[in-house]
Amino acid sequence: MGAILGSFLATVAIRWPQGRSAASGRSMCDACGRTLSALELVPLLSFVALRGRCAGCGGRIDPFHWQVELAGALIGVGAGVAADGTVAIAGVIFGWLLLLLAALDLRALWLPDRLTGLLALGGLASAWLMPPGPGDRLIGGGAGFAALWAIGECYRRLRGRQGLGGGDPKMLAAIGLWLGWRMVPAVLTAAAMIGLGAVLAMAIAGRRVGRSDQLPFGTLMAAAAYPAWLLMVGSGL
């Protein structure tokens, strides 16, 4: 189920920033525009069977599709291992919303308010299903927003330019509403470390990284937040 939903989320992440609807229109090859058959749309398996190429024109299939499909599947497996029942359902909703935000930020450096708002509402609603309680979550939401907003504002005043997107504090606030205030510093630190690791990997690969290069911090926070939820639920925190 996660792989199937991941296929849809990848389409949303590609089409939404372009002003196109993911709910209308048939799936087609990005290279030749040919409408794809049902057998070409089986998550993960079709990419492997076709060796990453369109069956019609032989054009390269964007690996972004299978990557999001795999991430969606892993989110579902992780929630099923860490929890069961309504807690597991809440966990996959958290994970899949994070995945869509991560994919949008990775492709377009965009964190839509309506999506971060939905993530925030889900965090508040899930307080009655599992710990932490509403108080800890509200503090986490406020602390998450304040922390990143303050960092971004300090950077802007010192450097005279924006260092963080406006959606990043809102996303960390939404994550805080899911995980509570105790996990916010860990998520922020882990996201920063993942980002530093990505920059180091690019430097090792020979790619020059300059001050003007941008990293999708929302993607990094999502990569840190879902494992934090799995750890929190799995350990009974």
Side-chain angles (χ1 to χ4, degrees), residues 2-3 6 44 65-75 99:
L44 296 175
H65 290 281
W66 74 260
Q67 291 164 359
V68 178
E69 291 167 1
L70 179 60
L74 292 175
I75 287 168
L99 177 58

Side-chain angles (χ1 to χ4, degrees), residues 14 20 28-34 36 60-62 65 107:
I14 292 171
R20 300 161 57 203
M28 60 183 65
C29 172
D30 296 328
C32 66
R34 181 180 63 88
L36 302 179
R60 178 175 175 269
I61 300 173
D62 190 339
H65 290 281
R107 295 286 294 200

Side-chain angles (χ1 to χ4, degrees), residues 25-29 32-38 40-41:
R26 299 286 301 276
S27 296
M28 60 183 65
C29 172
C32 66
R34 181 180 63 88
T35 299
L36 302 179
S37 67
E40 293 175 283
L41 295 173

Side-chain angles (χ1 to χ4, degrees), residues 15-237:
R15 293 186 182 182
W16 192 1
Q18 299 172 351
R20 300 161 57 203
S21 172
S24 61
R26 299 286 301 276
S27 296
M28 60 183 65
C29 172
D30 296 328
C32 66
R34 181 180 63 88
T35 299
L36 302 179
S37 67
L39 290 177
E40 293 175 283
L41 295 173
V42 179
L44 296 175
L45 297 180
S46 291
F47 187 91
V48 175
L50 295 170
R51 298 182 181 179
R53 297 285 177 178
C54 171
C57 69
R60 178 175 175 269
I61 300 173
D62 190 339
F64 183 74
H65 290 281
W66 74 260
Q67 291 164 359
V68 178
E69 291 167 1
L70 179 60
L74 292 175
I75 287 168
V77 171
V81 171
D84 54 21
T86 54
V87 175
I89 293 172
V92 294
I93 291 173
F94 178 50
W96 290 334
L97 284 173
L98 285 174
L99 177 58
L100 180 53
L101 282 162
L104 285 166
D105 203 28
L106 186 63
R107 295 286 294 200
L109 293 174
W110 183 41
L111 297 171
D113 285 347
R114 68 181 75 177
L115 202 55
T116 51
L118 185 60
L119 184 67
L121 289 175
L124 289 174
S126 66
W128 282 266
L129 298 176
M130 57 188 172
D136 283 358
R137 291 173 186 245
L138 288 172
I139 295 172
F145 181 87
L148 271 193
W149 179 87
I151 291 171
E153 184 65 13
C154 288
Y155 185 91
R156 186 187 67 82
R157 290 176 179 271
L158 289 171
R159 304 299 298 273
R161 58 189 174 93
Q162 293 291 341
L164 280 174
D168 293 324
K170 298 172 187 176
M171 183 170 173
L172 187 58
I175 290 171
L177 289 172
W178 275 89
L179 303 181
W181 65 269
R182 291 176 179 83
M183 297 298 290
V184 168
V187 169
L188 192 55
T189 302
M193 295 301 293
I194 295 170
L196 289 173
V199 171
L200 179 61
M202 287 188 287
I204 292 174
R207 175 180 168 184
R208 294 189 63 183
V209 181
R211 294 181 180 180
S212 61
D213 289 330
Q214 295 176 305
L215 286 179
F217 199 63
T219 304
L220 303 178
M221 287 192 290
Y226 192 66
W229 181 85
L230 292 175
L231 177 63
M232 186 177 70
V233 172
S235 61
L237 295 176

